[in-house]
């Protein structure tokens, strides 16, 4: 069996219209993959920076995967949420990025977006709050369906990941 170990952190988020943000994350993988050790989903704390343009989360990631094949390489599904002054949580954006294939250190800026609603829905978002959400969040990384959506660009989620691979050389995979 071949193995991939991902160690790092979700550093933070920048470029969002409001502060007081947190991030929910989940790793999606193919059927040939399984988690040997570590958590494959989680949530950061809320950060409300008063003088910085970035929300600092520094949320640790430590996942050890085993796999029987390369298909379905793992990817991060990210959701950035905003918490208002009353403690209400509002989904701000979606994003996804593949876990790097090559071993070593990687800095990743994952761009995020939100669905664009109708004119009425966008006006409600401006004055009342809330935003359009996907019925199926797994659609985020499905390129076959994603092109049909109208979206609005949001900010970026910054990740710092270190990838360690083991056993791929037995099967002729070189990095």
């Amino acid at each position: 069996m071949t193995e991939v170990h991902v160690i790092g952190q979700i550093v933070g988020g920048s470029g969002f219209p409001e502060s007081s943000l947190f991030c929910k994350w989940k790793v999606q993988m193919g059927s040939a993959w399984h988690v040997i050790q570590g958590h494959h989903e989680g949530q950061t704390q809320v950060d409300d920076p008063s003088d910085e343009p970035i929300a600092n989360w520094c949320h640790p990631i430590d996942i050890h995967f085993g796999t029987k094949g390369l298909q379905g390489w793992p990817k991060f599904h990210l959701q950035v949420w905003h918490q208002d002054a009353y403690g209400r949580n509002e989904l701000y954006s979606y994003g996804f990025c593949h876990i790097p294939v090559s071993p070593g250190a990687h800095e990743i800026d994952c761009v995020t977006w939100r669905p664009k609603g109708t004119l009425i829905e966008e006006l409600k978002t401006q004055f009342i709050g809330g935003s359009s959400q996907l019925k199926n969040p797994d659609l985020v990384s499905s390129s076959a369906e994603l092109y049909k959506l109208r979206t609005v660009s949001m900010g970026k989620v910054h990740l710092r990941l270190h990838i360690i691979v083991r056993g791929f050389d037995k099967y002729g995979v070189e990095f």
Side-chain angles (χ1 to χ4, degrees):
M1 176 174 61
T2 56
E3 300 174 36
V4 176
H5 200 148
V6 180
I7 303 168
Q9 63 180 320
I10 300 174
V11 177
S14 64
F16 291 94
E18 299 279 338
S19 59
S20 193
L21 303 171
F22 65 97
C23 180
K24 292 183 180 182
W25 61 274
K26 177 173 88 169
V27 176
Q28 184 183 37
M29 61 202 130
S31 60
W33 292 78
H34 66 281
V35 176
I36 295 173
Q37 192 172 19
H39 298 286
H40 67 282
E41 62 183 297
Q43 176 179 316
T44 70
Q45 82 281 358
V46 177
D47 186 34
D48 189 7
S50 58
D51 59 345
E52 292 184 39
I54 184 170
N56 293 302
W57 296 317
C58 300
H59 183 79
I61 302 289
D62 188 356
I63 312 169
H64 188 177
F65 296 102
T67 183
K68 297 175 185 170
L70 294 177
Q71 279 190 319
W73 193 271
K75 53 191 157 195
F76 280 104
H77 279 240
L78 305 169
Q79 293 181 353
V80 177
W81 292 72
H82 170 255
Q83 188 174 74
D84 68 11
Y86 302 105
R88 296 177 297 196
N89 297 328
E90 166 186 15
L91 179 62
Y92 248 24
S93 64
Y94 299 93
F96 85 96
C97 61
H98 289 275
I99 291 175
V101 177
S102 61
H106 302 273
E107 299 278 338
I108 300 169
D109 291 335
C110 179
V111 295
T112 65
W113 53 269
R114 69 171 178 83
K116 182 173 182 161
T118 64
L119 178 61
I120 301 293
E121 291 169 338
E122 291 295 310
L123 287 172
K124 284 182 183 177
T125 297
Q126 285 291 329
F127 294 108
I128 300 173
S131 63
S132 300
Q133 295 184 16
L134 299 175
K135 289 182 181 178
N136 180 5
D138 291 335
L139 181 70
V140 171
S141 63
S142 171
S143 59
E145 297 294 323
L146 192 57
Y147 77 92
K148 296 177 185 177
L149 290 176
R150 293 181 344 165
T151 62
V152 175
S153 180
M154 295 296 275
K156 295 179 182 177
V157 175
H158 310 285
L159 295 101
R160 184 175 300 129
L161 301 175
H162 301 274
I163 310 300
I164 302 167
V165 297
R166 185 174 134 196
F168 282 92
D169 54 341
K170 294 178 189 175
Y171 301 101
V173 177
E174 295 181 16
F175 294 100

